[in-house]
Amino acid sequence: MPKTLIEPFRIKSIEPIRMTTRAERERLLEEAKLNVFKLRAEDVLIDWLTDSGTGAMSSRQWGAIMEGDESYAGARSFYRLEKVIQDITGMPYFVPTHQGRAAEKVLFTAVCKAGDLVPNNCHFDTTRGNLEYLGVEALDLVIPEGLQPALVYPFKGNIDLERVESVLREQGHRIPFGMITVTNNTGGGQPVSMANIRAYAALLKKYGKPFIMDVCRFSENAMFIKMREPGYENKSIREIVQEMFSYADGATMSAKKDGMVNIGGFIVLRSEEWLDAVRNGLIMMEGFPTYGGMAGRDLEALAVGLEEGMDEDYLRYRLRTAEYLGERLEVAGVSFVKPTGGHAVYIDAKTVLPHMPVEQYPAWALCNALYLEGGIRGVEIGSVMFGKRLDSGVETFHSMELVRLAFPRRMYTQSHFDYAAEVIAEVKQKAASIRGVKITKQPRFLRHFTCECDWA
């Protein structure tokens, strides 16, 4: 049997890539104020900024789009998607939104108040931003292994149950609910074990707190459980997913990840307790409850995409893709978060640029270097994204300096990954010449999206 794992699909449509020169990229990055978010997509050769909404939809999804019912209220497409989501999650109340951060905003606005505290393994950027905007403390409690990039551990996304219980015991009056993110995007796309989900749910129940899951990549997490957790190797992905959801009281999802669509998100709830407040907020911020900011055609595409995202052949290929790039980087001596995650490879910028002080934002600098060297756009997961800047100007830095290379689903081929590995190896060899940056302009929240920089 051949060892090469092939893409479980054939390419039916293509989009050309505009090739650029190093001189062009130097000019373009300067014009973008050293912020790759500000680059035009047409000036990027390989765009691994995010896997959110950037993948290729299937012929079945494009066919479903033609079935979209665009009625304002009570559209047929809503009820089709509702049935799919109820079957997957086991939760009766489904609220559509146009994307994940909208789901977070609607739910948090309905349930949280200033002074609250929400524990999580790790909050990603918009989750944290939506909470902090409301005056809520977003507390990350991932296990210690999850903060050690080079350590190989099967479930580095697990939440630290001992620390969680301490927070519940001492500050439970501030906690409206507990969260967990599967997979843990901030910490390298690392999975959470079923045992950890089950134990966390029991702990929250003991203290009378609802359990909300951030399930952007629930299918990838389920595949890791199947591959790594004893007792699940013979279970289907659907069975594992349904068990994961069975422990939760609700969930938010950016469907632009494992929903396999270019736009969409949702909230699901097990009880009616928050439903009126959530739906009222939805109408104010997103739209009527049976479309919630999504077109009927997008509801149809998502109904198909959620099923396709749980396909085991696809998931095996998806996880192997990240593993393959990790193997190429290992040979090149480039350190990254191990083991590789489901949707991305996270380069450890502190080890690639050991000479650079954290005040010069090494992960941001490495992102710039990857673009200059080979036209690759990744994203910084470090002190620009997660550092804290006080009104006084004093800054605290993030514990890790990572560059995430996030792979759009069903979009790039093996030759793209081989090219990327060569570029990254070249950057590693030139590490001593890579320049740090300083921030010259920034907003108060989510500064990485729009900040402006100069060379340090």
Side-chain angles (χ1 to χ4, degrees), residues 82-116:
E82 181 183 54
K83 186 177 185 303
V84 170
I85 289 175
Q86 287 172 340
D87 179 67
I88 292 171
T89 68
M91 298 188 208
Y93 305 109
F94 156 58
V95 179
T97 62
H98 83 278
Q99 63 177 13
R101 70 191 64 180
E104 295 165 353
K105 184 173 182 62
V106 169
L107 180 65
F108 298 164
T109 301
V111 177
C112 299
K113 64 182 185 303
D116 281 351

Side-chain angles (χ1 to χ4, degrees), residues 12 57-64 308:
K12 200 167 186 175
M57 290 201 299
S58 69
S59 56
R60 285 184 62 228
Q61 287 179 289
W62 283 109
E308 291 185 347

Side-chain angles (χ1 to χ4, degrees), residues 359-398:
E359 292 84 1
Q360 294 183 13
Y361 306 109
W364 194 272
L366 185 56
C367 271
N368 288 340
L370 291 174
Y371 178 71
L372 291 173
E373 186 67 30
I376 297 171
R377 177 160 65 171
V379 71
E380 185 254 21
I381 311 286
S383 293
V384 178
M385 184 179 287
F386 289 116
K388 295 286 187 182
R389 184 177 184 273
L390 303 178
D391 292 337
S392 63
V394 175
E395 186 160 356
T396 58
F397 299 96
H398 191 52

